[in-house]
Amino acid sequence: MDKTEEINKKIQEFGGLLDEQTALLLIEYESGKISDEKRSKLKARIERMLNSYQEFLILEDEGIKEYRKKDGQPGRYLALRIVDQSGAEARLLFWDAQIEMADRKGFVPGERLILINCSRSEGKYGVTYTPGPSGTVRSDRGVLYPANK
């Protein structure tokens, strides 16, 4: 099994909640090839990604956008610009089928959002959150994702 397949398998083991960097760190940890510094980094990443509860305000609903997936198929995502109490901005993304499971009427600028067990990642576009398979997005009005909860 090549490294990419091994990383994807580890991500699937965690129900899609891990990002690629965290999956790689976990693979290194399980194989005994990890330093104390990397072990601390892994622990911090997993704690941030799982069992989290964070509050934000919606700045803007950027709407649904289209993109091309790695396999060449078309895809869609819904992006919300959000801000936490410290003033740090991030984006909340809903991918493909998740869009249909979200109650978009609740995505009003200025509305408070609570993200529970949502995945967090940092990349070239800044900090991004996604609900993943077990995340919940709430507002003061109730559950916005998945809307059937």
Side-chain angles (χ1 to χ4, degrees), residues 12-26:
Q12 288 174 351
E13 281 179 35
F14 280 80
L17 293 176
L18 299 181
D19 61 20
E20 289 179 2
Q21 291 174 333
T22 305
L24 181 58
L25 282 171
L26 192 55

Side-chain angles (χ1 to χ4, degrees), residues 2 26 30 35 54 62 79 86 97 107 109 115 128:
D2 74 357
L26 192 55
E30 291 172 347
S35 66
Q54 295 165 298
E62 296 179 349
S86 74
F107 298 147
L115 307 184
T128 302

